[in-house]
C-alpha cells in the first residue's frame, strides 16, 4: 500500500487517469511478477512507468532500454567481452577457446527494475534468449551464467497480447512471462475527455483562452467519432499548443493540420464550423467557466477541484483495483494518460 501511495503521489501532478498503472506496478513489485503495459501510442505508458518507479528507485537502479529489429544482443546483455572473444592463453600458456561472452554486470540483469520499451520488436533469436532468462531468472549461454537481480521487468508495447502471441512461438512464450497485463487507453474520447485533459495540463492557459480549448476539444472529439481513430492525449496537447500560437481560428485549423496524425481537416469542414460557432458562443463559455473552472483549489493537486475529481478518475465504471485484478493473465483496460510538459 505504501508503494502504491508513493507512486500515486509521483504521478498525480503530471498525469491524468493513472491509478490503475500505479496499482499494477505496485502489485508487480510486491509479488515479483513482471508487468506488461500495452495500448495505443501517445497515452504515456513509458512515461508513467518511469515516473512511478522513480518514486521508489534511484536513477542508478532503474534500467530503461528501447528495442527494435536492429537491436543487437550486446545492447541487451552488456558489451561483448573482447578478451574472451579473441581467446588468448591462460596463466599456464595454454590457448583458450574463443567464445562470445558478455559483461552482464552492465545489463538490466544487475538492476532492481527494468523497463523494456517495444521489446517485442526485437529479432526472434533475441526474444528466445529473453524468454529463457526471464523463465530461469538467470542468463544461461554456453559456459556463462549470471543470476538475475531484477525484481521487476516492465514490458511496454503498442501491440495487444493476442496480436503478439499470433506473431510466432517466440513472441507467445515471452508474453507468458508477463502475467500482469494492463491495457492503457481511454474508455471514451469525447469533448469532455479532451477538455479535462487540457484543463489538467494547461490550467492557466485554458482559463485564459477557453474558446481555443473548446474548439480544440470539439475538433478532437469529432475526429475520434468520424475516423474511428481517436487522437491520442499526446496529439491533443500538441494540437492545443499549436492552436494557441496561431493567428485566429482559421489559422488554427490550418496549423493544427500540421500536427503529426491530425491530417487534413477540410473533410470535416461543416462539423468544424459548427464546433467553431459553439466555441465562440457565450452560452458555451458560460458553461465552461461554471463547470470546469471552479476557484476552489484541490488540496491534493493544487488544481481546480473538478480537474482532480474528473480527470484523475477512471470512467469505465469499475475501480482501478478491479481493472488491475482483471489483468492477471489477461488483458484489462486502464485509463491512459499524458504528462504535463516541463515549464
Amino acid at each position: 500500500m505504501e508503494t502504491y501511495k508513493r507512486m500515486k503521489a509521483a504521478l498525480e501532478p503530471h498525469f491524468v487517469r493513472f491509478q490503475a498503472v500505479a496499482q499494477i506496478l505496485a502489485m508487480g513489485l510486491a509479488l515479483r511478477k513482471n508487468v506488461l503495459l500495452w495500448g495505443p501510442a501517445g497515452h504515456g505508458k513509458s512515461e508513467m512507468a518511469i515516473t512511478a518507479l522513480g518514486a521508489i528507485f534511484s536513477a542508478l537502479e532503474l534500467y530503461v532500454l528501447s528495442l527494435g529489429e536492429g537491436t543487437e544482443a550486446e545492447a541487451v546483455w552488456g558489451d561483448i567481452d573482447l578478451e574472451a572473444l579473441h581467446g588468448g592463453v591462460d596463466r599456464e600458456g595454454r590457448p583458450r577457446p574463443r567464445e562470445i561472452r558478455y559483461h552482464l554486470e552492465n545489463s538490466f540483469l544487475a538492476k532492481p527494475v527494468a523497463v523494456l520499451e517495444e521489446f517485442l520488436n526485437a529479432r526472434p533469436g533475441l526474444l528466445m534468449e529473453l524468454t529463457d532468462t526471464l523463465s530461469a531468472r538467470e542468463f544461461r549461454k554456453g559456459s556463462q551464467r549470471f543470476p538475475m537481480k531484477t525484481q521487476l521487468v516492465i514490458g511496454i508495447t503498442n501491440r495487444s497480447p493476442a496480436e503478439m502471441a499470433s506473431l510466432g512461438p517466440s513472441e507467445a512464450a515471452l508474453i507468458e512471462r508477463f502475467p500482469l497485463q494492463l491495457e492503457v487507453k481511454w474508455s471514451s474520447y469525447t469533448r469532455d475527455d479532451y477538455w479535462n485533459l487540457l484543463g489538467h495540463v494547461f490550467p492557466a492557459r485554458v482559463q485564459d483562452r477557453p474558446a481555443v480549448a473548446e474548439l480544440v476539444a470539439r475538433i478532437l472529439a469529432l475526429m475520434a467519432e468520424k475516423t474511428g481513430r481517436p487522437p491520442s492525449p499526446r496529439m491533443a496537447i500538441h494540437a492545443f499548443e499549436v492552436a494557441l500560437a496561431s493567428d485566429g481560428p482559421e489559422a488554427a485549423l490550418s496549423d493544427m493540420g500540421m500536427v503529426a496524425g491530425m491530417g487534413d481537416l477540410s473533410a470535416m469542414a461543416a462539423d468544424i464550423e459548427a464546433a467553431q460557432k459553439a466555441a465562440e458562443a457565450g452560452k458555451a463559455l458560460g458553461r465552461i467557466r461554471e463547470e470546469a473552472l471552479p476557484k476552489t483549489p484541490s488540496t491534493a493537486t493544487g488544481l481546480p477541484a473538478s480537474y482532480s475529481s474528473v480527470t484523475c478518475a477512471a470512467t469505465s465504471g469499475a475501480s482501478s483495483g478491479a481493472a488491475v485484478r482483471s489483468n492477471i493473465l489477461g488483458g484489462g483496460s486502464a485509463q491512459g494518460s499524458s504528462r504535463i510538459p516541463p515549464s
Side-chain angles (χ1 to χ4, degrees):
M1 179 62 72
E2 180 61 29
T3 298
Y4 169 72
K5 288 181 178 179
R6 290 170 63 184
M7 289 184 171
K8 182 175 178 291
L11 291 169
E12 194 163 28
H14 307 294
F15 298 90
V16 297
R17 304 179 180 185
F18 56 82
Q19 290 91 337
V21 172
Q23 188 161 357
I24 198 171
L25 293 177
M27 184 185 297
L29 274 175
L31 301 178
R32 300 293 178 92
K33 293 184 181 295
N34 297 330
V35 173
L36 177 70
L37 300 179
W38 64 281
H43 286 67
K45 297 183 293 294
S46 295
E47 286 184 311
M48 281 194 289
I50 293 170
T51 300
L53 293 168
I56 310 299
F57 300 95
S58 69
L60 294 177
E61 295 174 315
L62 176 59
Y63 192 98
V64 181
L65 178 66
S66 295
L67 303 179
E69 294 181 0
T71 301
E72 298 295 338
E74 55 264 33
V76 177
W77 307 122
D79 298 329
I80 291 179
D81 186 337
L82 296 179
E83 184 178 348
L85 184 64
H86 290 98
V89 295
D90 60 20
R91 294 179 179 179
E92 298 180 0
R94 294 174 298 188
R96 291 183 301 193
R98 297 181 179 181
E99 63 176 333
I100 297 178
R101 296 175 65 89
Y102 301 100
H103 289 291
L104 295 166
E105 67 276 7
N106 297 330
S107 73
F108 77 89
L109 301 176
K111 302 292 184 178
V113 63
V115 177
L116 304 182
E117 299 179 310
E118 299 304 333
F119 66 111
L120 286 167
N121 291 341
R123 53 186 175 79
L126 187 53
L127 294 181
M128 291 180 63
E129 293 179 356
L130 274 171
T131 301
D132 179 74
T133 301
L134 294 178
S135 299
R137 295 201 56 79
E138 180 184 44
F139 179 87
R140 307 178 298 188
K141 188 171 185 179
S143 62
Q144 190 171 21
R145 297 287 189 274
F146 190 91
M148 282 184 65
K149 299 178 182 179
T150 317
Q151 302 173 25
L152 176 66
V153 178
I154 300 98
I156 308 288
T157 181
N158 295 339
R159 298 176 176 178
S160 71
E163 178 187 358
M164 293 184 288
S166 68
L167 296 177
S170 298
E171 291 82 356
L174 183 56
I175 288 302
E176 292 178 357
R177 273 61 183 182
F178 292 83
L180 299 181
Q181 301 177 2
L182 186 69
E183 183 181 15
V184 182
K185 70 173 186 179
W186 289 4
S187 60
S188 62
Y189 296 83
T190 66
R191 171 265 176 205
D192 289 345
D193 295 320
Y194 288 114
W195 171 264
N196 290 332
L197 169 69
L198 297 178
H200 190 83
V201 176
F202 307 104
R205 295 184 186 181
V206 169
Q207 189 162 9
D208 185 53
R209 304 280 298 279
V212 176
E214 176 74 10
L215 176 62
V216 172
R218 287 182 178 273
I219 289 175
L220 294 170
L222 283 170
M223 290 180 63
E225 177 184 353
K226 300 292 183 181
T227 68
R229 299 185 300 275
S232 70
R234 181 185 300 144
M235 190 188 304
I237 288 174
H238 291 320
F240 183 59
E241 291 177 318
V242 167
L244 284 174
S246 299
D247 187 17
E250 292 185 5
L253 293 177
S254 176
D255 294 344
M256 286 169 59
M258 294 185 285
V259 173
M262 292 288 287
D264 185 7
L265 300 176
S266 61
M268 297 187 295
D271 294 320
I272 290 174
E273 182 179 359
Q276 200 168 340
K277 290 180 179 179
E280 295 170 349
K283 182 178 179 181
L285 296 183
R287 180 172 56 84
I288 292 169
R289 296 191 180 96
E290 180 182 353
E291 295 180 359
L293 295 171
K295 297 181 180 180
T296 303
S298 163
T299 57
T301 64
L303 296 168
S306 64
Y307 292 150
S308 300
S309 61
V310 177
T311 65
C312 296
T315 58
S316 61
S319 69
S320 58
V324 173
R325 287 192 293 274
S326 70
N327 278 278
I328 299 178
L329 296 176
S333 178
Q335 302 307 302
S337 174
S338 188
R339 188 174 187 176
I340 299 177
S343 57

